Amino acid sequence: MYSPTYGKISYEKMIEIIKNFIEKSPDSIYNISVGTDSQNFHYTKTVIVVAVHRLGSGGIFFYDIKSVKRINNISQKLFFETSTSLDIATKLSETLQNEGIDFGINIHVDAGKKGQTSKLIPEIVGWIKACGFGCETKPNSYAASSIADKYTK
């Protein structure tokens, strides 16, 4: 994982930073989000983001970059992004619960009511909710459509 503040860090260090961030203001309200976006080059560059937002007081985020064989089909790419987010969110949820942190996790999907992927939204949202996570789509899916998007370029 990478952090604009802390540089390259391990998953365990990310958990420690998140825990410390929350402990600094334990009475605050937090939104924890996981989002993935990808961009095609001669391969598909995939960026996974974990964002912790302290309402009214900013937040922190972490990201990881993976390269996979080029995914040309837009539907397959969205399902791949969602699957990647679900994998990270599941691991993160279990780890945070073991640390006594249970705010729930939202998955941010880089799809909106306009565009080629709009018809897939009900299926994607249903899949995410069936896995026990909240779901946000554009324009509220900032972890995927803003932060991850920035690092896919």
Side-chain angles (χ1 to χ4, degrees), residues 12-127:
E12 292 76 19
K13 181 68 174 173
M14 178 185 75
I15 296 301
E16 181 184 320
I17 293 167
I18 291 171
K19 190 174 171 184
N20 290 339
F21 180 74
I22 291 170
E23 286 174 350
K24 286 181 182 172
S25 185
D27 296 328
S28 293
I29 298 171
Y30 293 89
N31 287 329
I32 301 174
S33 307
V34 174
T36 303
D37 192 24
S38 61
Q39 181 88 11
N40 279 344
F41 299 96
H42 62 277
Y43 57 92
T44 298
K45 181 180 184 181
T46 306
V47 177
I48 306 107
V49 169
V50 173
V52 182
H53 177 213
R54 183 185 295 141
L55 272 87
S57 294
I60 55 175
F61 72 90
F62 309 88
Y63 66 97
D64 200 13
I65 300 172
K66 306 261 188 232
S67 296
V68 298
K69 183 179 175 189
R70 187 178 168 101
I71 304 169
N72 290 317
N73 181 292
I74 192 82
S75 298
Q76 288 176 343
K77 200 158 85 158
L78 183 61
F79 279 101
F80 175 74
E81 291 170 6
T82 303
S83 175
T84 301
S85 291
L86 281 167
D87 288 346
I88 296 296
T90 300
K91 181 178 179 181
L92 183 63
S93 177
E94 291 170 0
T95 304
L96 292 177
Q97 283 180 0
N98 289 338
E99 294 290 335
I101 299 168
D102 191 11
F103 295 109
I105 294 175
N106 284 316
I107 304 244
H108 287 194
V109 180
D110 190 29
K113 290 184 170 66
K114 299 177 184 176
Q116 299 175 0
T117 56
S118 61
K119 66 184 182 300
L120 299 173
I121 290 176
E123 190 174 350
I124 295 287
V125 170
W127 179 22

Side-chain angles (χ1 to χ4, degrees), residues 121-141:
I121 290 176
E123 190 174 350
I124 295 287
V125 170
W127 179 22
I128 291 168
K129 289 186 174 185
C131 291
F133 299 102
C135 182
E136 294 288 347
T137 59
K138 287 181 182 176
N140 301 320
S141 58

